Amino acid sequence: PAAAMSSLKRGTAGEMETASSKKYRSAINDCATAFLCAITQELPFDPVFAADGHIYEKKAITEWLQRKKSSPLTNQPMCDVLRPAVGVRNAIEALVDSGAVTGELAAAWQTQRQWKAELEDLREGAREHGDPSSMLELYKCHHFGLKNAVEDEDTALQWARRGARHGQRTCAYIIARDILDRNQDKSLTTYAISLLTRAAMAGSSKAAGKLARRFGKGDVKGLPRCAAQARYYRQLAQAATENDSDMDY
């Protein structure tokens, strides 16, 4: 009888523990759900409070408000004032690091943390060490919105200009293309052609190809039609050490 009673007590305690664990897990899941960004449906890595009182991923709500001036949840007019949600950020980090939140939500949040670390390394390389390849990568991040960077063409071009000044051939091509596409004045066009030439000579197939096309048909912005130059740059494009012709910058 004593053994049976002891077994019954252990079984009852186990059931109580299981019930308590389920209640705890349910509470954790409810808490994590309350933190979800309404736009990404993920735990925000850089959470902010918007004017509608809800929590969003900063990048997601910033890009949303650039397109619309309304709340993603209520569709009511909303200003673009955002406040950092530091307490929410700390709570999410504690939930993920403790293992209280697991699965896809935790994995996505950890990926964003890795992206942030990689962006910080790129910025350090560009600012502190003048690394041209880091400047090109930062251009790509802001041009395409990679690694959770805010997609912003002005910021992207700022990094490309820095890269061009440091001799990065793809950055030189990007800035030259931007100047020529914007139909800016002749002095800038001359600068753009010099950037293209430098990039082509340094091994950019895109820059060499662009010069070949412009010399091939003549250019209203200053380049004369010249079959010899067109042929030279076509050969240079084919032999370019940086085969970037299929890359979209």
Side-chain angles (χ1 to χ4, degrees), residues 7-236:
S7 177
L8 178 62
K9 287 182 178 179
R10 286 197 301 271
T12 302
E15 290 174 0
M16 290 177 64
E17 183 177 351
T18 300
S20 175
S21 178
K22 287 182 177 178
K23 185 181 291 186
Y24 169 77
R25 174 59 58 187
S26 177
I28 290 295
N29 289 337
D30 289 345
C31 179
T33 300
F35 290 151
L36 291 182
C37 169
I39 300 173
T40 66
Q41 289 301 302
E42 294 180 350
L43 292 172
F45 184 79
D46 190 4
V48 293
F49 287 110
D52 62 359
H54 294 285
I55 298 167
Y56 298 94
E57 177 65 61
K58 183 178 180 180
K59 176 179 182 287
I61 189 61
T62 298
E63 292 175 352
W64 174 281
L65 291 172
Q66 287 173 351
R67 300 189 303 269
K68 303 179 181 180
K69 298 297 181 183
S70 61
S71 164
L73 283 171
T74 67
N75 206 34
Q76 296 297 310
M78 186 172 79
C79 67
D80 58 1
V81 175
L82 304 174
R83 293 183 296 110
V86 179
V88 172
R89 169 67 168 75
N90 293 339
I92 292 173
E93 184 171 28
L95 289 170
V96 173
D97 287 346
S98 68
V101 173
T102 58
E104 292 181 1
L105 286 178
W109 192 88
Q110 289 169 330
T111 296
Q112 291 191 71
R113 177 159 59 185
Q114 179 182 342
W115 285 344
K116 182 178 182 181
E118 290 173 0
L119 275 175
E120 289 176 349
D121 287 344
L122 288 173
R123 290 184 182 118
E124 181 180 354
R127 289 171 176 159
E128 304 299 325
H129 306 295
D131 178 30
S133 61
S134 294
M135 297 170 192
L136 174 60
E137 290 304 311
L138 285 165
Y139 164 82
K140 293 178 185 177
C141 287
H142 287 287
H143 180 67
F144 296 112
L146 304 178
K147 300 184 187 298
N148 211 29
V150 174
E151 191 173 328
D152 181 76
E153 194 63 14
D154 288 340
T155 302
L157 288 173
Q158 286 175 14
W159 285 114
R161 290 187 191 98
R162 292 182 68 169
R165 288 197 296 270
H166 282 77
Q168 213 295 324
R169 55 197 175 195
T170 303
C171 286
Y173 164 77
I174 289 165
I175 295 304
R177 181 193 61 188
D178 180 67
I179 293 172
L180 294 172
D181 289 349
R182 289 173 185 264
N183 294 312
Q184 297 184 21
D185 63 55
K186 190 171 182 179
S187 62
L188 286 175
T189 298
T190 302
Y191 173 59
I193 297 301
S194 72
L195 285 177
L196 280 179
T197 303
R198 282 165 44 194
M201 299 303 292
S204 170
S205 59
K206 274 197 166 187
K210 199 172 188 70
L211 284 168
R213 290 190 297 274
R214 288 182 174 273
F215 276 113
K217 64 182 180 181
D219 193 320
V220 294
K221 297 177 183 177
L223 282 184
R225 185 174 182 179
C226 179
Q229 287 280 36
R231 184 167 55 253
Y232 169 76
Y233 282 109
R234 277 197 298 271
Q235 292 171 346
L236 202 62

